[in-house]
Amino acid sequence: MSRVRHWLRTLTGAAGLAFATIAGAGQPCDTQPPDSYTMTRALGLAERVQQSLDSSGARVVIVARAGQDLTKYGLQWSHLAFAYRDDPSPGAMPAALPAPISPLLGQISDQPTALPLARRGTWRIVHKLNQCGTANAAVFRQGLAEFFLDTPFRYEAAYVVPDLEVQAALLRTVVDDQRLVQWHTPAYSVVAYPWSTRYQQSNQWALETLAGSLDPAAATRERAQAWLQLHDYQPTVLHIDALTRLGARMTRANVAFDDHPNSKRFSDHIETVTVESMFTWMQRMQIAGRPTVVR
Amino acid sequence: MEPASSLPPRIAAVALALSLAAAGTAHAQSNVSRISEESLVPIAISAALPVVLVAGAGSIVVTGVQASADGVVWFVENVVDGVKGSIRFAADAVSVTAMAVGTVVVVTVVATGMLLSAAGHVIAFIPNEIGRSLSYNQRVSR
């Protein structure tokens, strides 16, 4: 009996360690309010990120946080989101402000343009959150403070600025609640397979939403994944052994492996969408620059 | 700006009304009064507090809690000199309604506003203009 208990304890411990959350948005259901030190650090980071984003000149970026220690997987960042500047709509602007003009065609453009600071809106985050470690997740629009208040492992952030065309495409999505859920599946697994639609983790939602925003034909999750394969997106490969997989499946509602092909799963080869893989792919595609780190 | 006329004259005379009125979109949703659904930190929509607290750290004691359809108001008193003030929250912040009279609250001024703590935990946040711009919470998908 004690052997069984020891085995179970080992299994549970391994699972807990390994699945702190790859996608970083597995929120513990902790109703304890933060202490003032924690909250001061989170608010401070949110303010520094806001200043950095303001000075970037971008209208939409992809921002990552370090919610968990994933260094054993060679990962620095755990969870990503879109951040966009919620500027007043053109209709709300004074008539004296010139309409944005495309430098190439002389036509009205919906690409991001420079606005006077005083007319700039605030930065908003849109991302997918798995709350309380359940098997479900939802899409949220939040402030930078909320984004960094989820007890991060490190008070640091990284963001990449997409090129103007990508920003324009993303902007149409991030302000539109219907489009934000177009590529969303509530069923959540922290290690969801990138080429299956059974589950979806947070970073995968962001990646598929990006794909769908860039190509109108990628209007469903299946088509967004096909577009990503066509454009050579490469997920991160995690090496997770059978004992750890079993322990995680037994003890965590938000971990599942049955969406992974058997051949990969049984060779401990678990592919999933990570911040690093998305940043790397965007640079390789030349649709975003190098990450900027804010501490 | 909290209108001075909404406060008893004695409070208005000694309190600095903070410009913390809710800004349009940030408070358009019913659930934005909490800085995070997980952390459950309510956000004040207005406050009138003694100047000495606004300038630095200190403690206040809650002397009264008044709930109405428009929200919840804490009446507070500076521990050091008894100067009175008030803090107003949105109606849906349950934890502020349950605040016990007599609770001593530590006030800490940060770059983004003021943190109110009790028993080592932050129980509310009074954002300044920067703090307001950082805070928003809306569930998009059902």
Side-chain angles (χ1 to χ4, degrees), chain A residues 27-37 39-40 43-44 46-47 50 86 122-124 126 129 131-132 137-146 149-150 176-178 180-181 184 186, chain B residues 25-26 29 31-32 34-43 108-117 120-125 129-142:
Chain A
Q27 306 299 314
C29 218
D30 183 7
T31 54
Q32 185 90 307
D35 58 38
S36 58
Y37 177 69
M39 192 151 166
T40 302
L43 289 170
E47 188 188 7
Q50 178 173 257
D86 190 17
T122 51
W123 287 91
R124 294 288 175 245
V126 283
L129 285 172
Q131 290 179 297
C132 305
V139 177
F140 284 81
R141 178 177 287 109
Q142 294 189 312
L144 289 167
E146 283 80 0
L149 258 175
D150 286 331
D176 183 337
D177 288 2
Q178 283 192 322
L180 282 175
V181 299
H184 163 63
Chain B
T25 55
Q29 301 294 325
N31 60 350
V32 296
R34 297 186 184 95
I35 202 157
S36 160
E37 289 196 346
E38 287 72 37
S39 60
L40 299 172
V41 177
I43 298 177
T108 308
V109 176
V110 296
T112 48
M114 302 168 85
L115 301 177
L116 308 184
S117 311
H121 295 288
V122 176
I123 56 169
F125 176 48
E129 191 178 353
I130 300 169
R132 273 203 313 279
S133 73
L134 295 174
S135 181
Y136 189 86
N137 196 18
Q138 175 203 355
R139 183 173 174 142
V140 175
S141 63
R142 292 300 106 207

Side-chain angles (χ1 to χ4, degrees), chain A residues 9 23 30 46 48-49 59 69 72 105 114 128 132 141 148 157 159 217 224 228 237 240 242 259 264 273 288:
Chain A
R9 206 162 35 237
D30 183 7
R48 290 191 296 280
V49 169
R59 187 75 195 275
D69 180 7
K72 68 177 285 191
L105 303 174
K128 176 169 178 154
C132 305
R141 178 177 287 109
F148 293 113
Y159 67 86
L228 287 162
V237 179
I240 302 173
D259 55 334
K264 291 182 179 177
V273 179

Side-chain angles (χ1 to χ4, degrees), chain B residues 42-82:
Chain B
I43 298 177
I45 53 176
S46 67
L49 290 173
V51 175
V52 65
L53 289 180
V54 178
S59 296
I60 52 178
V61 61
V62 178
T63 57
V65 177
Q66 187 178 76
S68 71
D70 297 329
V72 176
V73 178
W74 290 355
F75 296 101
V76 298
E77 204 171 284
N78 191 9
V79 167
V80 174
D81 56 14

Side-chain angles (χ1 to χ4, degrees), chain B residues 77-94:
Chain B
E77 204 171 284
N78 191 9
V79 167
V80 174
D81 56 14
V83 172
K84 297 182 190 313
S86 67
I87 305 165
R88 184 182 297 274
F89 298 90
D92 70 341
V94 176

Side-chain angles (χ1 to χ4, degrees), chain A residues 22 45 101 105 133 170 172 219 233 258 282 284:
Chain A
I22 303 298
L45 178 58
I101 302 295
L105 303 174
L170 279 174
R172 284 190 288 273
Y233 165 74
D258 55 350
M282 291 185 77
R284 188 155 42 83

